[in-house]
Structures are given as structure tokens and as C-alpha cells.
Amino acid sequence: MNSTPRAEIGVIGGSGFYSFLDDARTLSIDTPFGAPSDDVVIGEVAGRSVAFLARHGRDHRFPPHQVNYRANLWALRSVGVRQVLAPCAVGGLDPSFVPGTLVVPDQVVDRTRGRAHTVYDEPGAVVHVGFADPYCARGRNAVITAGHGQDDLPVVDSGTLVVINGPRFSSRAESQWHRSAGWSVVGMTGMPEAAIARELAMCFTSLCLVTDSDAGVEGDSGVTHEEVLAVFGTKIEHLKRLVREVITSLPAHEADESASCACRRTLDGLRLPFELP
Ligand SMILES: [Zn+2]
């Protein structure tokens, strides 16, 4: 019997990433939080072992508010993943962000509600993880470095992602409010995805591809789902190339976990109600 394949890097993205992996094997994984959005596909990218998971399922059956973020992250961790790259589509709140701009956020504002936002919700489980810096510094640096000189995918090296609940887009007043608060991009899937990755002591890096100007352009009718898909479609090959380059530059598993990234030491000294996979 073949042993279960393991992966060191995880990618949570759209179905355009399926073609990404060489020698792919498909794993059906169950978790204490139920099934993830789809099977986890494990294969190689430039010699590194990578697990891919379609955030919305391969047939896009889960809208952002119905994605099982806890199961998705748990499933990736259970196959060995400790570093996650998470591309997503966003609206640009800064008028200088043309569609096709890639923003690597360093901050997040969570405006979602009604989502299962923690893995530590059993009675008696008191686990407060630090989230002052929600994204992995090493992962962000890897994306920013790989993005240098890619004219067809201009990279903005910081910014604040505001996550709305959806599935509807923002009203003009909401969009104006988010912009005047100084936030950079708006999306629907960034939370609780990033927070749960932190709760599981995984490095997490968000790659926000700007597909539209939200409801920010006067006289414009506002963003549509077709517009988001169309722009994402034209940029997916550029994004895959960038992600491939980032994967090759991410560090391998450290033999000495205590020397690893701070994200992975998040739970040091905390008493957990269960063992992590
Ligand atoms: Zn990290």
C-alpha cells in the first residue's frame, strides 16, 4: 500500500490552480469540523511538495459565507502543511489599483459575521492567539520579492484587506466608508481563513488580485461577478507563475521547529483542548 503523501506548502485558491501540480494525488480528508471544500490534491511544484485545495470546491459550490474555513485549514495541516499561500479576488479601494494589481496585505479588518471563526470553541477552551500582525512576514517577503519586475502583475507590498460577509457586493456608501478608513482592498474570503491559520500555528500569506473598483466609481453600475471572473481569468497564468516562484523560494521545514517562523510558535505555552494534527 502506498503511504499517504505529505506536503509542506499549501495553496488555497480557485480551480484554475488544478493544472499546477505535477504527479498529483487526490486525498479525501475528513476533519473534526466536517469535510473541507473539496479533496486535497498533493503533487510537486519545482521539486517541492505542495497541497492544493479549491476554496469554493471545484464546481464552485460554496459561496464565501459557506466555505468551511476550519475544515480547509485543518485538512491542510493534517497532511503536513505549515505554510499557506492564499490567492483571492478583491475589489480595489485605492483608485491607483488597476485591475490586475496584486496587493500583499499586511493588515486585515474582519467585517464578516455568522461564520465559524475559531477552532477553539469547546466549553472550557480558552485559547487567545496573537493576531497583531495577521500575515506571515516571511511569506509576504517571498511574494514581494518574486513580484519584482513582473510588469503584467504589478505588486503592491502592503495594505489593509477588509473582509465583508457577502455574498452581495458593497453599497456605494459602504465602499466609500471602507475607502475613507484608509483600507486598501475588499474581499469576502480573507476571514476567518487567516485567523484560523494562525490558530493552527500555520504561516499564512494572502495574495489579493484586484479585479474591479468595488462600488467606488461614480456613474459606474458597480462590480459584477462576471467582471471578477473575467479579470481573474486573464491573470490566472501570471498569478500561477508568481505562486510557483514563491513556492521555490519558501524555506523548507526546519529540523529545529524553535528556529522557525514566529507564526509557528503562536501556540507555545498555551494549553490546547486537543492535539493538532
Ligand atoms: Zn510565518
Side-chain angles (χ1 to χ4, degrees):
M1 201 178 88
N2 287 337
S3 61
T4 306
R6 305 278 291 173
E8 49 174 329
I9 297 164
V11 177
I12 303 176
S15 47
F17 278 90
Y18 273 115
S19 56
F20 197 60
L21 299 170
D22 300 326
D23 275 337
R25 282 181 59 188
T26 299
L27 287 184
S28 174
I29 297 174
D30 198 19
T31 83
F33 306 101
S37 297
D38 212 320
D39 292 340
V40 173
V41 181
I42 298 183
E44 290 217 340
V45 174
R48 306 293 295 276
S49 125
V50 175
F52 172 73
L53 180 55
R55 183 185 284 116
H56 301 281
R58 75 184 64 207
D59 52 4
H60 214 97
R61 63 188 179 281
F62 299 112
H65 63 292
Q66 287 174 0
V67 170
N68 191 340
Y69 297 97
R70 298 191 298 183
N72 287 356
L73 271 309
W74 189 279
L76 289 177
R77 195 181 151 106
S78 75
V79 296
V81 168
R82 296 293 183 271
Q83 307 179 81
V84 177
L85 300 172
C88 62
V90 297
L93 299 172
D94 182 323
S96 72
F97 296 167
V98 297
T101 302
L102 189 76
V103 178
V104 188
D106 59 336
Q107 281 298 325
V108 70
V109 174
D110 187 2
R111 295 202 55 238
T112 66
R113 57 190 180 278
R115 302 182 182 191
H117 59 272
T118 177
V119 296
Y120 302 115
D121 63 353
E122 294 174 9
V126 183
V127 180
H128 301 287
V129 298
F131 203 53
D133 296 300
Y135 299 108
C136 175
R138 283 209 308 211
R140 294 186 56 255
N141 275 335
V143 177
I144 293 162
T145 304
H148 275 316
Q150 303 226 11
D151 295 341
D152 40 23
L153 198 67
V155 171
V156 176
D157 64 8
S158 64
T160 298
L161 165 66
V162 52
V163 187
I164 60 171
N165 206 48
R168 68 167 178 83
F169 293 112
S170 298
S171 70
R172 269 184 225 288
E174 287 165 339
S175 190
Q176 184 57 43
W177 170 37
H178 296 160
R179 183 165 308 141
S180 61
W183 303 333
S184 316
V185 289
V186 56
M188 295 181 192
T189 59
M191 287 292 285
E193 197 171 72
I196 290 168
R198 179 61 55 83
E199 284 192 336
L200 296 175
M202 298 160 88
C203 294
F204 185 90
T205 307
S206 176
L207 292 81
C208 295
L209 182 69
V210 176
T211 56
D212 58 84
S213 302
D214 201 35
V217 178
E218 284 301 324
D220 188 292
S221 57
V223 56
T224 65
H225 190 220
E226 286 68 34
E227 188 183 0
V228 172
L229 293 178
V231 173
F232 213 90
T234 63
K235 290 293 172 182
I236 184 73
E237 292 308 320
H238 302 306
L239 191 56
K240 279 157 72 175
R241 198 176 62 214
L242 181 87
V243 169
R244 179 179 288 270
E245 217 172 295
V246 174
I247 286 169
T248 59
S249 71
L250 286 176
H253 275 324
E254 281 90 350
D256 176 8
E257 273 288 320
S258 65
S260 68
C261 192
C263 315
R264 281 180 256 175
R265 287 181 269 116
T266 300
L267 300 169
D268 286 5
L270 298 179
R271 210 181 55 193
L272 304 184
F274 44 73
E275 279 201 30
L276 300 185

